[in-house]
């Protein structure tokens, strides 16, 4: 079996140079790099990743905990994380937390036991105190889609309160005053922030927030359908519905269409997230952007800069939402 020494002899370079090529060090000329790669190929040499990890105290792997693996929201985030890290010859190990405290902690423990160089965490159920304590450990962490003031330099997040405000303000600007609100589950920070933004916009227009017109959903289509069924049963003159996710908006619109209501002629809708498919349904869905793929890319860049010393990388922490006006809302 060929060794690193055999590679260095065949290539006519030092062991240190072979090591630099294996670790993708930029301080090696392209000509020398190719000589080493040709020698490795000729000898059939494959680096021993475990031995490299033990020797360098670097596994070249990054752990990622995500809330869920299905749906249209988290796929783009994971794709951006994996693509960004793979381009730097780093690999990703993924665990799902399922928005459950125990499963999130088990996922984190599993990834740390695998010697990951850093963790990217999209977690909702574990406490701020737990994450603050975790940040003081030996494995660097960066949070995605979550903000904690005490470790804000480790957070990549969206201003969800602003997004919630923008969605409702858009409906108010169209003259709607009888506005229902379908929120996400209140144990999630982004759901609470979006609701707070909605209430702020209502107050700024000198209107009162009506708790009867608020339904706590689950960010999924069925949650939106259940919410709309309940809201219509109130027999109140609702002219617009603000939904805290596009998926819930889709479920709610489906219920309205089943009841013979026309969107937006009878009732206007706006969603949140700007996932792909609502831009192609009829009517197309007005929405607020939630650039989770960009946040995934930025979290990966944070790791590259803070853990792997890629100092040329710029990192942005706070993302701003954007309003997309389409066909699901009209003047009251």
């Amino acid at each position: 079996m060929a060794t690193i020494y055999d590679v260095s002899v065949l290539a006519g370079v030092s062991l240190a140079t072979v090591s630099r090529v294996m670790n993708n060090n930029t301080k090696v000329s392209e000509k020398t790099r190719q000589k080493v790669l040709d020698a490795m190929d000729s000898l059939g040499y494959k680096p021993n990743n475990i031995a490299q990890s033990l020797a360098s105290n670097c596994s070249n792997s990054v752990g990622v905990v995500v809330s869920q693996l299905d749906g249209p929201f988290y796929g783009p985030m994971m794709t951006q994380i994996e693509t960004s890290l793979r381009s730097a010859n780093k690999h990703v190990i993924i665990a799902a937390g399922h928005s459950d405290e125990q499963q999130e902690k088990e996922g984190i423990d599993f990834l740390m036991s695998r010697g990951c160089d850093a963790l990217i965490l999209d977690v909702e159920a574990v406490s701020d105190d737990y994450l603050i304590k975790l940040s003081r450990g030996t494995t660097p962490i960066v949070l995605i889609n979550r903000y904690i003031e005490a470790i804000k330099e480790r957070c990549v997040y969206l201003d969800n309160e602003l997004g919630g405000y923008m969605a409702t303000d858009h409906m108010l600007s169209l003259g709607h005053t009888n506005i229902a609100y379908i929120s996400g589950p209140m144990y999630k920070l982004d759901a609470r922030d979006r609701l707070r933004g909605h209430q702020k916009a209502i107050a700024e227009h000198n209107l009162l927030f009506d708790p009867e017109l608020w339904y706590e959903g689950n960010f999924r289509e069925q949650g939106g359908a259940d919410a709309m069924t309940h809201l219509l049963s109130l027999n109140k003159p609702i002219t617009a519905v603000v939904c805290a996710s596009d998926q819930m908006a889709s479920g709610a619109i489906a219920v309205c269409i089943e009841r013979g209501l026309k969107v937006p002629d009878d009732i206007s809708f706006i969603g949140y997230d700007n996932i792909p498919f609502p831009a192609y349904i009829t009517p197309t869905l007005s929405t607020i952007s939630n650039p989770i793929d960009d946040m995934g890319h930025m979290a990966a860049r944070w790791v590259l800069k803070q853990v792997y010393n890629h100092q040329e990388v710029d990192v942005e922490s706070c993302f701003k939402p954007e309003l997309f006006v389409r066909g699901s809302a009209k003047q009251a």
Side-chain angles (χ1 to χ4, degrees):
M1 183 180 295
T3 66
I4 189 173
Y5 177 80
D6 297 326
V7 174
S8 71
V9 171
L10 183 59
V13 299
S14 67
L15 289 171
T17 297
V18 176
S19 179
R20 281 194 286 271
V21 172
M22 289 166 52
N23 288 298
N24 204 29
N25 192 302
T26 57
K27 295 181 179 179
V28 180
S29 71
E30 189 55 39
K31 181 179 179 181
T32 300
R33 183 186 306 279
Q34 194 58 53
K35 284 172 58 179
V36 172
L37 293 175
D38 289 344
M40 292 171 64
D41 184 59
S42 176
L43 293 168
Y45 176 78
K46 300 292 183 183
N48 186 320
N49 291 328
I50 296 176
Q52 280 185 285
S53 174
L54 292 172
S56 64
N57 199 31
C58 177
S59 67
N60 286 319
S61 63
V62 176
V64 181
V65 177
V66 294
S67 295
Q68 61 193 54
L69 298 174
D70 62 337
F73 188 70
Y74 291 98
M77 180 188 79
M78 289 186 286
T79 297
Q80 284 294 327
I81 291 173
E82 197 277 338
T83 300
S84 301
L85 291 171
R86 178 65 71 91
S87 67
N89 294 316
K90 314 301 177 187
H91 293 270
V92 170
I93 305 174
I94 295 173
H98 301 291
S99 300
D100 175 82
E101 181 179 9
Q102 186 59 36
Q103 291 190 65
E104 287 179 353
K105 288 182 176 179
E106 288 174 356
I108 290 169
D109 290 342
F110 165 77
L111 295 170
M112 292 180 71
S113 74
R114 292 300 181 271
C116 292
D117 299 327
L119 302 182
I120 297 174
L121 304 178
D122 170 50
V123 289
E124 300 172 319
V126 293
S127 68
D128 288 358
D129 288 341
Y130 170 83
L131 292 169
I132 291 169
K133 182 178 179 181
L134 190 68
S135 72
R136 296 172 182 151
T138 56
T139 302
I141 68 166
V142 58
L143 306 182
I144 187 169
N145 209 26
R146 184 163 176 171
Y147 178 81
I148 301 175
E149 177 67 27
I151 52 173
K152 59 185 179 182
E153 70 282 355
R154 297 174 179 268
C155 300
V156 178
Y157 60 98
L158 178 71
D159 189 341
N160 278 294
E161 183 172 337
L162 175 60
Y165 174 89
M166 291 168 64
T168 300
D169 184 67
H170 176 61
M171 289 301 196
L172 291 163
S173 73
L174 294 174
H176 295 281
T177 54
N178 296 311
I179 302 173
Y181 187 81
I182 303 175
S183 76
M186 285 294 97
Y187 73 86
K188 295 190 176 187
L189 177 61
D190 52 0
R192 298 197 300 273
D193 285 345
R194 293 172 196 180
L195 175 60
R196 189 158 45 245
H198 165 74
Q199 292 171 321
K200 180 180 178 182
I202 291 288
E204 283 191 3
H205 284 74
N206 298 314
L207 298 172
L208 293 177
F209 173 70
D210 185 352
E212 282 196 359
L213 296 183
W214 165 37
Y215 187 97
E216 183 177 348
N218 62 359
F219 284 143
R220 301 294 190 98
E221 289 88 350
Q222 188 58 53
D226 293 342
M228 201 66 233
T229 300
H230 169 76
L231 291 169
L232 291 175
S233 74
L234 300 176
N235 292 316
K236 289 198 171 188
I238 299 169
T239 64
V241 182
V242 176
C243 300
S245 79
D246 291 343
Q247 290 174 264
M248 290 195 300
S250 298
I253 289 172
V255 168
C256 289
I257 293 173
E258 288 171 4
R259 302 290 182 91
L261 296 171
K262 296 180 180 179
V263 179
D265 293 340
D266 296 324
I267 188 166
S268 290
F269 279 88
I270 188 169
Y272 200 113
D273 287 335
N274 195 32
I275 58 178
F277 72 82
Y280 301 99
I281 61 176
T282 301
T284 55
L285 181 65
S286 294
T287 189
I288 302 295
S289 67
N290 185 358
I292 192 66
D293 50 347
D294 292 336
M295 287 191 279
H297 174 64
M298 198 57 63
R301 288 169 70 90
W302 186 97
V303 170
L304 292 174
K305 183 169 187 174
Q306 300 297 331
V307 179
Y308 297 114
N309 203 33
H310 289 212
Q311 293 304 314
E312 76 283 0
V313 171
D314 293 325
V315 176
E316 178 183 354
S317 296
C318 181
F319 285 77
K320 298 296 182 184
E322 182 181 354
L323 171 66
F324 286 82
V325 177
R326 298 190 179 118
S328 62
K330 63 177 289 187
Q331 200 78 28

